[in-house]
Amino acid sequence: ATLAYGPNTLDNATQGGYTGNSDPDLGSIAGTSVFDAAVLEFDFVPTGGGISFNFVFASEEYLEFVNTGFNDAFGFFLSGPGISGPYANNAVNIALVPGTSTPVTIDNVNNISNAAFYVDNGDGFSAPYNSSVDYVQYDGLTVSITASHAVQCGQTYHIKLAIGDVSDEIYDSAVFLQAGAFTSTPPMLNLTQDLAL
């Protein structure tokens, strides 16, 4: 996480380089080898009929490695009652390009593909990106995107947040989660029934 601090003074920022960690779900999204996988997973019980949170994906692979096979992968894999998806534990990936079923990756969101969701952050050498702490280290990032899915109130669900390098273990990527944004939609009151009581 310390790599994220700006300004953006490098075009190839890398921290890690350990090739042992992989994840089969990330490999499925990437379609090839995944390295340096970082995974956080936990169970939760929603208090309403939906969950959501906001995220930003950023990568040092932008823009020079778009569509070159270094398509760093990440996903938010949700599993539990009523969910049947293609990933481990019948999970679905809810880290998607808005309005699509397309995973958010550098090949799928950039200055050409889904450009409305892409933010240029310099190349590591250009002002103001390389001189102001208002910018993160990564060369490109997405706008804030909402991950959401319907759930059953009071049931136990599992979520796995995972990210990894694709095809090599350098030029890092990151996912930023908005603090306090992991929420469950409160249940709706049935006013007709309540008034009848």
Side-chain angles (χ1 to χ4, degrees):
T2 57
L3 184 67
Y5 291 114
N8 182 9
T9 56
L10 298 169
D11 67 343
N12 61 352
T14 300
Q15 189 168 353
Y18 175 66
T19 59
N21 286 355
S22 187
D23 181 89
D25 293 329
L26 290 178
S28 180
I29 289 175
T32 189
S33 301
V34 174
F35 303 99
D36 295 337
V39 178
L40 171 67
E41 49 189 319
F42 55 90
D43 292 334
F44 66 95
V45 177
T47 58
I51 59 134
S52 67
F53 57 96
N54 302 326
F55 70 91
V56 170
F57 171 66
S59 182
E60 200 69 336
E61 303 281 4
Y62 284 119
L63 279 167
E64 60 267 48
F65 293 103
V66 172
N67 294 318
T68 65
F70 300 99
N71 191 25
D72 286 3
F74 83 102
F76 302 147
F77 303 101
L78 178 68
S79 58
I83 296 176
S84 180
Y87 302 102
N89 203 26
N90 294 319
V92 293
N93 177 21
I94 61 172
L96 304 173
V97 176
T100 75
S101 59
T102 304
V104 175
T105 67
I106 66 163
D107 287 353
N108 294 338
V109 178
N110 51 62
N111 61 327
I112 297 170
S113 297
N114 296 298
F117 304 110
Y118 175 72
V119 177
D120 181 56
N121 197 53
D123 56 10
F125 307 105
S126 305
Y129 312 102
N130 69 344
S131 59
S132 172
V133 294
D134 292 336
Y135 299 96
V136 294
Q137 178 62 65
Y138 304 97
D139 292 351
L141 54 146
T142 67
V143 298
S144 180
I145 296 174
T146 301
S148 62
H149 202 279
V151 292
Q152 296 173 19
C153 180
Q155 298 296 310
T156 300
Y157 287 83
H158 185 82
I159 193 161
K160 178 174 74 171
L161 314 175
I163 186 169
D165 285 322
V166 171
S167 299
D168 65 14
E169 68 278 2
I170 58 174
Y171 287 62
D172 291 347
S173 296
V175 176
F176 300 94
L177 305 177
Q178 181 182 342
F182 187 72
T183 60
S184 180
T185 309
M188 298 295 293
L189 295 175
N190 185 338
L191 295 179
T192 303
Q193 182 182 16
D194 291 345
L195 291 174
L197 297 176

